[in-house]
Amino acid sequence: FDIDANGIVHVSARDKGTGKENDIRIKSSGGLSDAEIQKILKEAEEHAETDKRKKSLIETKNRGESVIDECHKNMKDHKQYMDADGEQKLKEAI
């Protein structure tokens, strides 16, 4: 398959057994008007700062969860070097 610069998808296939080949071209039957495109772009600009904050919050949360998971893994891997009290304090800190 191939997608050209206009967003038209060209698909072709050949049956290996018979050697027959078929192809199809898929293009949009409609589209957005220039006004609709401008409206979408304006809305995207208006929400850019909120989206940026949400993305930052999600990335921070993901990093935090990764650190916690790594702490749990390290605690499990090095359990033999801790006494029960140290293990409990570490669990509480995590």
Side-chain angles (χ1 to χ4, degrees):
F1 76 93
D2 183 40
I3 301 174
D4 68 17
N6 296 319
I8 298 173
V9 179
H10 302 270
V11 180
S12 62
R14 179 184 315 233
D15 185 315
K16 290 183 178 182
T18 63
K20 291 183 179 180
E21 185 173 331
N22 283 317
D23 61 347
I24 187 170
R25 188 175 78 167
I26 305 167
K27 65 179 184 175
S28 175
S29 61
L32 298 174
S33 68
D34 287 343
E36 290 171 318
I37 292 170
Q38 291 305 316
K39 179 183 175 197
I40 291 169
L41 290 173
K42 182 181 176 199
E43 289 174 357
E45 288 175 7
E46 290 172 355
H47 295 102
E49 196 60 39
T50 302
D51 292 344
K52 202 179 291 185
R53 282 193 302 271
K54 285 180 183 179
K55 179 182 176 188
S56 177
L57 181 63
I58 290 167
E59 288 173 344
T60 301
K61 179 180 179 262
N62 288 343
R63 282 193 304 271
E65 288 175 350
S66 292
V67 169
I68 290 170
D69 290 342
E70 188 175 339
C71 288
H72 282 289
K73 180 187 176 301
N74 287 333
M75 186 175 70
K76 182 180 175 184
D77 291 347
H78 300 94
K79 188 175 182 175
Q80 69 270 18
Y81 302 112
M82 292 185 283
D83 60 11
D85 186 49
E87 182 181 355
Q88 185 59 36
K89 287 180 181 176
L90 188 57
K91 284 181 180 178
E92 290 171 7
I94 294 174

